[in-house]
Amino acid sequence: MNNQAAPLRIGVIGCGHWGPNHIRVFSQMKDCMVTAVADPDEKRLTEVHRNHPQARPYADYRSLLRDADVGAVVVVTPTKTHFSIVADALKAGKHVLCEKPLCTDPEEGKQLVALAKERELVLMVGHVFLFNPGILKVKELVDAGEVGEVRSLSAIRTNLGPVRADVNAAWDLASHDISIFNWLLGAEPVEVQAMGAAFLQRGIEDVVHISMKYPGNILASIQCSWLDPKKVRQITLVGSKRMITWDDLALSNPVAIYEKAVETNRETSDYGEFLRVSMIDGDVRLPKVRAEEPLKAQNSAFLHAVREGKLPNSAGEFAVGVVRVLQAVRASLAQTGTKVSSA
């Protein structure tokens, strides 16, 4: 791994919607600098270079990869281009931070992970919600046993746009919640079912509903849409002892802990056996959640990984697991909701 003291020089490939955010964040951080940018759109490239004149502009990302001054690249391009660009970057000896999802085929993802290991390079994927302070708090509570046994999780992620032309709503939106669920549970689902509908573009679902079953009979569901009047980013986690909600738009108190549970006992009487159900309906606690921009935390973790060789939560192998689930979602959608194994 690269342990040099000199600032890490970074190239950003893709200057569309999200690329400028990476440029902004890395430009504000110590121990690194953005020295190159690439985008085939001349207008976008000119605008970014005007705002960041220290970054050399390239119309072709391959030219950027030949820049020996660049030690790491951020890939912020359409999902279907990720595999070829990341592979080229690793072969060129660059550490890589790739936007989610890593690729569209788990077998291709495995190839990228193997290539990164072979070249002793960091391959990290931008599952940015793994660095969200609220999700980190939920993970802390689950790991500490605060909720007891996890029984179910549900997520809603909707908004009016932005509409993608390269992937459907599951690959664009549900990929966030799949990564969160996999990380919270430390596992991948064993079964996946999905239903969706394409209204705006043929073959690209705008609305997708996903059901998944994780090991231990844990049920999970995701509702995602970019064709909805209201922006929602919420997760509910039900445990045997307590329940937790996370609302990304509730900036002051994104996490709530509910002292709510249901206990059941089978009892016998003169009339036979019966089920006694006890409802626990207690207080709601709002734990303190620190404020930090998730993208900044993510990109700091990438720099740390390059410097120290310690892979972050969203390293390549974890990201391949997310792609594996998305592939199962795609297969289920193609079979009109048939249950599909994601193993």
Side-chain angles (χ1 to χ4, degrees):
M1 298 295 175
N2 187 354
N3 293 312
Q4 63 179 2
L8 179 66
R9 299 176 185 274
I10 297 172
V12 176
I13 301 173
C15 300
H17 173 68
W18 198 241
N21 287 318
H22 280 286
I23 297 172
R24 169 184 60 82
V25 168
F26 277 122
S27 296
Q28 295 172 351
M29 297 169 65
K30 298 179 180 179
D31 302 326
C32 71
M33 59 180 67
V34 177
T35 59
V37 292
D39 197 290
D41 188 304
E42 182 179 355
K43 183 178 179 181
R44 283 202 302 248
L45 193 61
T46 300
E47 182 179 352
V48 169
H49 182 57
R50 184 188 309 116
N51 294 329
H52 304 275
Q54 81 286 354
R56 292 182 292 278
Y58 295 97
D60 189 332
Y61 79 88
R62 297 174 187 84
S63 299
L64 185 153
L65 294 179
R66 288 193 289 269
D67 188 336
D69 191 44
V70 173
V73 297
V74 185
V75 178
V76 201
T77 60
T79 302
K80 292 180 180 179
T81 69
H82 286 181
F83 174 73
S84 58
I85 295 177
V86 172
D88 288 344
L90 293 170
K91 291 173 183 176
K94 316 295 186 186
H95 300 286
V96 177
L97 170 57
C98 177
E99 268 306 318
K100 62 82 194 168
L102 174 59
C103 52
T104 59
D105 185 325
E107 293 304 315
E108 290 183 343
K110 290 178 182 178
Q111 293 178 41
L112 295 176
V113 170
L115 183 58
K117 287 183 177 180
E118 175 189 327
R119 302 297 177 97
E120 297 186 337
L121 295 166
V122 170
L123 172 58
M124 178 175 167
V125 179
H127 289 296
V128 70
F129 281 91
L130 304 190
F131 299 88
N132 179 287
I135 295 299
L136 289 170
K137 175 58 71 172
V138 174
K139 175 67 169 173
E140 176 188 317
L141 293 167
V142 170
D143 288 352
E146 287 285 319
V147 301
E149 294 182 359
V150 178
R151 290 176 169 169
S152 68
L153 306 99
S154 60
I156 301 175
R157 189 175 295 265
T158 62
N159 200 8
L160 187 60
V163 177
R164 296 278 293 268
D166 59 327
V167 293
N168 64 21
W171 287 80
D172 181 35
L173 302 175
S175 54
H176 287 303
D177 299 298
I178 292 168
S179 70
I180 293 170
F181 289 178
N182 286 6
W183 186 56
L184 290 177
L185 301 175
E188 296 175 26
V190 294
E191 294 176 351
V192 174
Q193 289 180 281
M195 291 284 287
F199 301 106
L200 305 179
Q201 303 171 85
R202 183 183 297 274
I204 299 179
E205 289 84 1
D206 308 289
V207 181
V208 180
H209 292 186
I210 302 168
S211 295
M212 303 181 290
K213 183 165 284 188
Y214 282 83
N217 198 37
I218 300 173
L219 188 65
S221 66
I222 301 173
Q223 174 189 338
C224 61
S225 171
W226 55 47
L227 196 58
D228 196 277
K230 187 175 180 181
K231 182 176 182 178
V232 179
R233 290 179 180 173
Q234 296 177 350
I235 288 176
T236 299
L237 186 152
V238 175
S240 59
K241 292 167 56 178
R242 295 179 181 85
M243 304 178 186
I244 297 176
T245 61
W246 167 77
D247 186 344
D248 194 40
L249 303 186
L251 301 181
S252 299
N253 300 107
V255 177
I257 305 168
Y258 292 78
E259 298 290 342
K260 292 176 180 282
V262 179
E263 295 180 350
T264 59
N265 293 289
R266 290 202 171 273
E267 300 182 3
T268 57
S269 69
D270 294 339
Y271 300 100
E273 186 179 32
F274 68 95
L275 182 68
R276 180 181 295 278
V277 179
S278 301
M279 299 289 183
I280 301 173
D281 190 0
D283 295 335
V284 179
R285 291 186 285 130
L286 303 176
K288 186 175 181 180
V289 176
R290 61 184 176 82
E292 183 178 15
E293 182 182 1
L295 186 62
K296 183 177 180 181
Q298 171 192 277
N299 291 6
S300 294
F302 176 66
L303 290 181
H304 182 74
V306 172
R307 296 294 188 195
E308 306 298 331
K310 183 178 180 182
L311 294 177
N313 299 328
S314 56
E317 290 184 358
F318 175 88
V320 172
V322 175
V323 176
R324 194 158 33 240
V325 179
L326 288 167
Q327 183 186 53
V329 169
R330 178 167 54 200
S332 183
L333 285 172
Q335 299 173 50
T336 321
T338 300
K339 188 183 299 182
V340 174
S341 171
S342 63

